[in-house]
Amino acid sequence: MNLKKLNNSMSKKAFLGLTLFLAIFLLQACSVKKFIPEDELLYTGADIELDSQDEIANKKDLKNQLQTLLTPSPNAKFLGTRWGLYFHYKAQKEKPGFINKFLNRKFGEEPVYLSDVDPYHTEELLKNRLENRGYFYSTVDFTLEEKRKQKLASISYHATLPEEPYVLEKYRMDNDSLRIYREIKETLSESLIDEGEPFNLSVLKLERERIDIALKERGYYNFSNNFLIFESDTNQYDRKKFDLFLRLKKQVPEEAIKPYKVKRVNIYPNYAIGTDSIDRDTVRYNGRNYIQNEVFFKPEKLDPYILIKEGELYSPTESGRTSRRLTSLGTYKFVNIRYDVLDSISTDSIGYLEANIFLSPLNKRSIRAELQAVTKSNNFAGPHLALTYTNRNLFHGGEILKLTGKVGYEQQLSADSDVGNTSIILGLNSDFIIPRMLFPIIEINSNWFEYSIPKTKISAGFEYLNRTGLFNLFSVSGSFGYIWKANRYITHELNPFSVDYVQLNESDRFGEILKENPFLASSFDQQFIAGLTYSFIYNGMVDASDTHQFFLNANLDLTGNILDALSGGETPKTFLGLRFAQYAKADADFRYHFKLSPEQTIATRLFAGLGVPYGNSDVMPFSRQYFAGGPYSIRAFQIRSLGPGTYKPQGDLSYYDQMGNIRLEANVEYRFPIFQILKGAVFADAGNVWNTERNNLPPGDELTEQQEELIEKGTFSSNFLNEVAVGAGVGLRVDIQSFVIRFDLAAPLRIPWLEEGDRWDPRLTEPVFNFAIGYPF
């Protein structure tokens, strides 16, 4: 036998034996048995068995419901050891030490002993729940299982069910001449109670709530579900069947069984809490009273947001929609809708309400100065000073004007070159938001949009960027579009008009770079970008307590088509003397968060994007191309250090080559708490960028060897999966009420520019450090 192989084999066996010995030793050392008091037994849990002569319908669901009643829950166990309980016991020592205190605070659990369990009370709960599901006359008993030597105890419950549950034969409403009975009967087509189903008390409770909601929508302002009662009748059947009758309880108040109409609607557009609302001027507009001393908000502008109408029945849905619309204006701090019952004759078959809408405004004007620490996706970071002026009701119609001036200095972290790694930024931006949909041709009716009224947003601004030693950029941008929420999850943003113009003044150094790189020069040539953009956002993460949370941001950018139609002549075409870009671009950012607990989450993201130049463009404009790497992308690689494909340029400023019009990326991250505001994460990222053939240089151009390599290695193909970069790492986050400072350390695992077959090359000793603000996804 080969001696070397024998030694290796013996070494492996010795290693495995030592590992097994250490594992057994560790589990024994962490045993909690020695900490359990002499007169106590540690409770290890309970189970329940269901028994019946006939097959139990929905047995799994029924058993799961009964399991929730088996309280308290025992101490958690992992790998044979109750670690939480162990940490708790260790912290009770006379001098527990800092580590034991910390582990107990984060993971410790109070012990659950058999003496903490009341099995007789649990028996009653189980019988009650079985009766609520139609299994009347069930019996429940329990058995204790004690292991005195191990100081453990458990309980087994056994439930004996009758042959079958009581099943509903007929569901009826009592007959009565009252109008409310007729109203209830009209809602029974939407009943949650189905004939032929077993008795279920929880369904009956839900049915009462459903009827209460339906009646309130029909104007029954003072009704309550407590006024309804169900009665059952089993006398007509030999087998286990019953009829169910719904009626009103006796002595229900008169005001609860009649509908109410809104007689008056009063709106206070400039209401201050605690002030008198009587001595003010009243303006009557569109059947409503607008009460204000001076015009703070024009009635004709505010009126479309109010859906409560005089002469109509009370409706909680219309009240909720009105409140939501008014809150969305951004002008008001508080929106309070109060209904007052007006006096009426007791014999009246209908009551009357007065609706009072109190609107407490925010400060109309504000000035805010911010000193910001900025980090960007291109790895530039530095201080910014921003001064913002806001007017929240500019023309007394809820218009919001926001002007922001900024100045900043940035430096690129971990830059490979000493040229172009610092920036000076000056800028002025303005946003004018009108809480109505302005359309140049036809008038848009606000009632076309049920959930919220679209807003018109007009934006304009300019920015001056000095990239030291390379170039100066002066850019002007503007857009006209609409924002509206379809419901609480979905937001649309449509900009029919969007324009960007950039004037580039390059240094000699940057001019040489452009001369040597016609691909880069071509993408910088097209600095006039005008077109249409659309964004769709689905944000299911507004329900922060949901276990499964989804988010989708899809974007469409169509640029240059109108200008192409207006311009004549041969390609390349110009508009106002400027060559314009023409392309189509679409991308989607999909995220899924799985919440293991309130503070533990598995977060995932998939991103896919494609831009296609055509017509007047040979390549995508530089500012519209994709890049990979950095704190918001694949964190094991520096910003713009990946791709396209397997391409790896050499020399200074090579990252300008590393762009593409295709981007694919996938990320997964496990987030967990460490201590108070300090959170931790373990993550993995994968992805890259590529070029399509259309985004390469046109045929016939004289190419350098470097450019030929870029086209060869950077073009997307069916082999793209073999060109994906992979990295993994760990992170720390300081999370202060959703303001997050993030530190990530990641190492490359798969490097696409290496030779095929050698790309899986973990470089754990060459990690990349990332600093950023906010979570990456």
Side-chain angles (χ1 to χ4, degrees):
M1 178 182 289
N2 187 303
L3 186 60
K4 184 175 181 180
K5 290 185 178 180
L6 179 62
N7 288 335
N8 288 339
S9 176
M10 293 178 65
S11 297
K12 290 181 180 178
K13 289 180 179 179
F15 175 76
L16 291 173
L18 179 61
T19 302
L20 181 61
F21 171 77
L22 290 174
I24 294 173
F25 176 79
L26 180 63
L27 294 178
Q28 289 295 326
C30 295
S31 172
V32 298
K33 176 183 175 181
K34 56 189 175 185
F35 299 107
I36 301 173
E38 288 296 328
D39 58 341
E40 294 283 7
L41 295 177
L42 190 67
Y43 176 63
T44 61
D47 56 25
I48 183 169
E49 290 297 326
L50 303 179
D51 186 28
S52 177
Q53 293 184 2
D54 290 342
E55 183 179 352
I56 301 173
N58 299 319
K59 182 178 181 180
K60 184 177 180 180
D61 175 61
L62 178 62
K63 189 172 182 178
N64 288 339
Q65 285 197 26
L66 297 176
Q67 289 280 3
T68 62
L69 304 175
L70 305 182
T71 58
S73 297
N75 295 109
K77 197 173 183 181
F78 180 70
L79 295 178
T81 299
R82 296 174 176 84
W83 297 98
L85 185 57
Y86 176 78
F87 295 143
H88 168 80
Y89 282 134
K90 293 290 285 183
Q92 308 310 310
K93 297 192 322 184
E94 185 175 347
K95 295 182 178 180
F98 170 77
I99 294 178
N100 286 330
K101 287 182 178 179
F102 171 77
L103 291 173
N104 178 51
R105 186 164 54 248
K106 297 305 298 180
F107 308 106
E109 295 179 357
E110 293 279 349
V112 181
Y113 299 121
L114 180 62
S115 59
D116 298 321
V117 185
D118 185 351
Y120 296 102
H121 178 64
T122 302
E123 269 189 358
E124 293 302 316
L125 291 177
L126 292 170
K127 284 192 288 186
N128 181 262
R129 181 60 58 87
L130 288 169
E131 288 181 356
N132 291 345
R133 291 292 297 266
Y135 291 97
F136 297 99
Y137 312 112
S138 299
T139 60
V140 180
D141 53 40
F142 69 90
T143 303
L144 288 177
E145 184 178 350
E146 300 181 354
K147 299 179 181 179
R148 290 287 173 178
K149 289 185 178 181
Q150 293 84 4
K151 295 186 177 181
L152 304 175
S154 61
I155 303 177
S156 295
Y157 294 91
H158 182 264
T160 303
L161 279 61
E163 295 180 3
E164 57 186 20
Y166 277 82
V167 174
L168 175 63
E169 183 70 14
K170 295 178 182 178
Y171 173 39
R172 297 288 184 270
M173 177 77 189
D174 269 4
N175 291 319
D176 197 283
S177 60
L178 290 174
R179 173 178 175 175
I180 192 171
Y181 275 86
R182 185 173 69 255
E183 302 269 21
I184 295 175
K185 286 181 179 179
E186 290 175 359
T187 74
L188 293 184
S189 60
E190 300 175 2
S191 174
L192 303 176
I193 300 174
D194 293 324
E195 295 176 352
E197 290 293 317
F199 176 86
N200 191 326
L201 183 63
S202 61
V203 174
L204 300 187
K205 292 179 179 179
L206 291 174
E207 174 71 357
R208 290 203 315 170
E209 293 174 5
R210 184 198 65 80
I211 293 173
D212 179 37
I213 293 172
L215 287 176
K216 286 212 169 46
E217 286 299 327
R218 293 169 179 248
Y220 288 85
Y221 175 74
N222 283 313
F223 191 79
S224 168
N225 57 35
N226 292 322
F227 297 147
L228 292 170
I229 188 171
F230 288 103
E231 294 179 341
S232 60
D233 180 12
T234 61
N235 296 326
Q236 302 183 49
Y237 306 103
D238 295 333
R239 294 184 60 80
K240 293 183 178 179
K241 295 182 180 181
F242 70 99
D243 291 340
L244 189 67
F245 297 92
L246 173 65
R247 66 173 179 84
L248 293 177
K249 293 181 179 179
K250 296 179 180 179
Q251 298 179 341
V252 174
E254 184 72 25
E255 60 269 18
I257 58 174
K258 64 182 179 181
Y260 283 78
K261 281 187 178 181
V262 178
K263 190 171 185 179
R264 286 195 298 270
V265 179
N266 303 322
I267 300 104
Y268 301 87
N270 190 16
Y271 179 75
I273 297 175
T275 61
D276 190 359
S277 60
I278 298 176
D279 297 329
R280 301 189 183 186
D281 294 334
T282 300
V283 174
R284 185 79 174 167
Y285 181 84
N286 197 23
R288 302 182 180 97
N289 299 319
Y290 289 84
I291 304 171
Q292 51 188 334
N293 282 337
E294 57 184 27
V295 178
F296 175 80
F297 208 120
K298 295 177 182 178
E300 64 271 19
K301 301 298 185 184
L302 188 58
D303 196 72
Y305 285 81
I306 299 170
L307 302 175
I308 303 170
K309 297 180 180 179
E310 294 182 359
E312 292 192 352
L313 291 172
Y314 162 77
S315 169
T317 297
E318 295 300 278
S319 292
R321 290 175 60 197
T322 297
S323 179
R324 184 176 63 246
R325 285 188 171 202
L326 291 169
T327 302
S328 71
L329 277 169
T331 304
Y332 291 107
K333 179 167 49 176
F334 299 113
V335 175
N336 180 27
I337 301 178
R338 189 186 73 198
Y339 287 93
D340 297 325
V341 178
L342 300 177
D343 292 336
S344 61
I345 303 174
S346 59
T347 56
D348 286 349
S349 61
I350 194 166
Y352 295 97
L353 299 172
E354 180 180 69
N356 294 287
I357 304 175
F358 301 100
L359 306 176
S360 302
L362 294 160
N363 291 332
K364 182 176 179 179
R365 301 175 184 86
S366 65
I367 297 177
R368 183 179 64 186
E370 290 184 79
L371 181 61
Q372 305 168 335
V374 175
T375 63
K376 295 182 177 179
S377 59
N378 59 5
N379 226 26
F380 273 82
H384 279 218
L385 176 64
L387 188 65
T388 302
Y389 166 79
T390 303
N391 189 313
R392 295 184 177 86
N393 192 19
L394 184 61
F395 300 122
H396 304 289
E399 302 87 1
I400 297 176
L401 174 66
K402 183 179 291 186
L403 300 173
T404 302
K406 65 179 179 179
V407 58
Y409 172 81
E410 299 173 357
Q411 183 164 355
Q412 190 171 34
L413 305 177
S414 305
D416 295 330
S417 171
D418 59 353
V419 179
N421 59 4
T422 61
S423 296
I424 296 174
I425 299 171
L426 300 172
L428 178 65
N429 293 295
S430 64
D431 290 324
F432 184 46
I433 301 175
I434 305 167
R436 294 168 289 283
M437 192 170 187
L438 302 183
F439 201 76
I441 301 175
I442 61 174
E443 182 179 354
I444 303 298
N445 191 328
S446 299
N447 293 326
W448 293 356
F449 301 90
E450 181 176 347
Y451 186 82
S452 65
I453 297 177
K455 297 180 179 181
T456 302
K457 183 178 180 181
I458 304 171
S459 299
F462 74 87
E463 183 175 277
Y464 170 78
L465 170 64
N466 183 326
R467 186 68 58 81
T468 310
L470 286 180
F471 55 80
N472 298 329
L473 279 177
F474 180 80
S475 61
V476 179
S477 62
S479 65
F480 175 90
Y482 310 102
I483 304 172
W484 73 96
K485 292 182 71 69
N487 52 50
R488 67 190 299 257
Y489 303 108
I490 295 175
T491 302
H492 302 274
E493 181 168 355
L494 174 65
N495 292 308
F497 172 77
S498 176
V499 62
D500 290 275
Y501 170 70
V502 179
Q503 180 180 337
L504 173 68
N505 298 312
E506 74 266 15
S507 65
D508 293 340
R509 175 70 179 276
F510 196 65
E512 289 297 322
I513 294 173
L514 295 180
K515 186 183 296 185
E516 295 174 2
N517 190 334
F519 177 83
L520 181 63
S522 180
S523 66
F524 264 101
D525 278 346
Q526 301 172 30
Q527 296 300 304
F528 186 62
I529 304 171
L532 174 149
T533 63
Y534 168 73
S535 294
F536 171 88
I537 298 175
Y538 173 84
N539 185 11
M541 296 181 184
V542 295
D543 296 325
S545 60
D546 284 0
T547 302
H548 305 282
Q549 299 176 342
F550 298 91
F551 174 89
L552 173 64
N553 182 10
N555 300 284
L556 178 65
D557 184 354
L558 298 174
T559 292
N561 295 327
I562 295 178
L563 296 183
D564 182 64
L566 295 176
S567 303
E570 299 179 356
T571 303
K573 299 179 181 180
T574 61
F575 181 76
L576 300 178
L578 300 170
R579 181 178 177 182
F580 56 87
Q582 192 173 9
Y583 64 85
K585 180 182 177 183
D587 52 51
D589 182 346
F590 174 76
R591 305 174 189 181
Y592 166 66
H593 288 189
F594 176 60
K595 300 203 73 169
L596 301 171
S597 72
E599 290 194 282
Q600 296 186 73
T601 302
I602 297 177
T604 64
R605 175 177 66 174
L606 291 173
F607 182 93
L610 169 65
V612 180
Y614 61 91
N616 212 44
S617 296
D618 298 318
V619 297
M620 294 281 294
F622 183 81
S623 60
R624 297 298 194 267
Q625 296 192 54
Y626 297 111
F627 60 85
Y632 298 92
S633 180
I634 304 166
R635 286 162 278 184
F637 297 84
Q638 297 288 358
I639 191 75
R640 301 178 190 266
S641 66
L642 278 172
T646 61
Y647 178 66
K648 178 62 175 176
Q650 305 296 325
D652 294 344
L653 304 174
S654 59
Y655 60 83
Y656 279 109
D657 289 336
Q658 301 195 254
M659 310 284 284
N661 65 323
I662 296 177
R663 178 185 168 197
L664 297 174
E665 193 170 308
N667 315 80
V668 61
E669 182 170 288
Y670 169 55
R671 299 169 183 168
F672 54 89
I674 297 178
F675 178 72
Q676 294 182 353
I677 63 172
L678 188 63
K679 316 294 182 183
V682 179
F683 58 83
D685 307 313
N688 206 339
V689 296
W690 294 265
N691 279 311
T692 59
E693 293 182 0
R694 178 62 186 169
N695 202 49
N696 289 325
L697 291 176
D701 281 4
E702 185 176 342
L703 304 177
T704 65
E705 182 178 341
Q706 183 179 0
Q707 290 301 308
E708 290 177 348
E709 182 184 6
L710 172 60
I711 293 175
E712 178 186 355
K713 294 186 175 182
T715 302
F716 187 82
S717 68
S718 59
N719 195 40
F720 73 95
L721 286 177
N722 292 324
E723 300 172 356
V724 168
V726 179
V730 296
L732 291 176
R733 291 93 165 86
V734 180
D735 191 338
I736 307 172
Q737 295 182 348
S738 298
F739 175 76
V740 178
I741 301 173
R742 177 163 54 93
F743 306 92
D744 288 328
L745 192 66
L749 301 180
R750 193 172 192 276
I751 303 172
W753 59 78
L754 299 179
E755 292 296 326
E756 195 166 357
D758 297 329
R759 290 173 183 167
W760 282 106
D761 182 20
R763 299 186 178 182
L764 303 181
T765 59
E766 302 176 17
V768 174
F769 175 75
N770 294 275
F771 167 77
I773 304 296
Y775 287 106
F777 51 90

